[in-house]
Amino acid sequence: MASVYTCTECGSNLNLNFAYAYPADFYFEAGNKGSLSFSAVDATKFKFEKEDKIRPFFETLNYWGIQRKRTKIKCNTCDSLLGHIYDDGPPLIDTPGQFHMGPSQVIPRAPRYRFKTKALTIVSA
């Protein structure tokens, strides 16, 4: 039985494939609470809007950077905000990282499409 993800606002099918979903317990720098994360999406169903935020480092305990660029994911039908694209997915190259201490910010990482669960409606098909 497959699940169909639709926009909560307008009910349009977002064509999200569960095969591209990350496990719920997979660790990400930008957090995973109250969201579903995918490694790939159908770009024809969404609008992507660049966002550049500058936040002071002391604003929150788990801040997502002093200056960080991310992209808003909006529904192509009703223009409601569904989530964001972060650059904290798996590393794109296989390398031990700087000083062999794990991946650093210099290593390019795959995009992660993070959808807010309150913006999605899951219908079993």
Side-chain angles (χ1 to χ4, degrees), residues 79-104:
D79 207 35
S80 65
L81 180 66
L82 300 173
H84 294 90
I85 301 174
Y86 291 93
D87 60 351
D88 62 352
L92 292 173
I93 54 176
D94 187 26
T95 179
Q98 191 175 18
F99 307 116
H100 297 278
M101 298 179 77
S104 68

Side-chain angles (χ1 to χ4, degrees), residues 16-87:
L16 294 173
N17 190 342
F18 195 72
Y20 296 117
Y22 287 106
D25 60 346
F26 201 88
Y27 174 76
F28 291 107
E29 294 169 14
N32 209 21
K33 187 176 179 183
S35 65
L36 292 170
S37 296
F38 293 85
S39 61
V41 296
D42 181 6
T44 60
K45 299 287 185 178
F46 307 102
K47 293 178 189 173
F48 302 108
E49 189 177 293
K50 298 260 186 218
E51 179 183 34
D52 191 8
K53 282 198 163 195
I54 298 174
R55 291 185 171 187
F57 67 92
F58 53 85
E59 184 173 316
T60 61
L61 183 63
N62 297 319
Y63 69 96
W64 55 279
I66 295 172
Q67 181 178 11
R68 179 110 179 219
K69 294 178 182 178
R70 65 180 183 178
T71 305
K72 290 181 181 180
I73 304 172
K74 292 187 170 188
C75 178
N76 210 7
T77 308
C78 67
D79 207 35
S80 65
L81 180 66
L82 300 173
H84 294 90
I85 301 174
Y86 291 93
D87 60 351

Side-chain angles (χ1 to χ4, degrees), residues 109-124:
R109 302 178 77 81
R112 175 173 62 112
Y113 301 88
R114 179 179 163 189
F115 292 90
K116 297 186 279 184
T117 52
K118 63 182 179 182
L120 301 176
T121 304
I122 303 171
V123 180
S124 297

